[in-house]
Amino acid sequence: DLGAESTSSQLGPLVVLPQGGMSAENASDALALALSSNKADNLLNTVASISSVPANGETAADITHASVTALQAAAELIEPSSEHLQKMGQVLTGALSNQVGSVAD
């Protein structure tokens, strides 16, 4: 026993907010990719991520519409458990409240 200690760390991906806010095109591309995975968690995580980025006033309505469409697809894929339904509710609430706030700005 040498009495030595060591540590290690791993950096995650660098995430940068899009300059000028989220565009409808970026949101649609991300949602299409998540939809192609055919996994409810991927869709929910993508909608939550998109909702956390401010959008321009005009684009906010388009992004909200695309997010709600993605959530409808997630509802068809999600397992009917209290955990999944709670996550769905949280993501839906976040998507609507964040985008409505962006429209009001």
Side-chain angles (χ1 to χ4, degrees):
D1 182 27
L2 299 175
E5 291 184 28
S6 68
T7 62
S8 66
S9 63
Q10 181 177 5
L11 298 176
L14 175 63
V15 178
V16 180
L17 289 174
Q19 191 171 12
M22 176 67 69
S23 71
E25 182 180 351
N26 287 345
S28 293
D29 290 347
L31 290 169
L33 186 61
L35 185 59
S36 70
S37 74
N38 210 29
K39 295 182 181 177
D41 277 337
N42 287 358
L43 281 166
L44 293 175
N45 292 339
T46 302
V47 171
S49 295
I50 288 170
S51 300
S52 68
V53 178
N56 303 345
E58 281 185 24
T59 353
D62 293 336
I63 292 172
T64 300
H65 178 71
S67 295
V68 169
T69 301
L71 288 172
Q72 289 173 333
E76 294 176 10
L77 298 170
I78 203 164
E79 295 178 30
S81 69
S82 60
E83 179 183 326
H84 286 108
L85 294 176
Q86 182 179 10
K87 183 174 181 177
M88 173 74 87
Q90 289 171 343
V91 171
L92 177 60
T93 300
L96 295 177
S97 65
N98 289 340
Q99 296 306 326
V100 168
S102 295
V103 172
D105 291 342

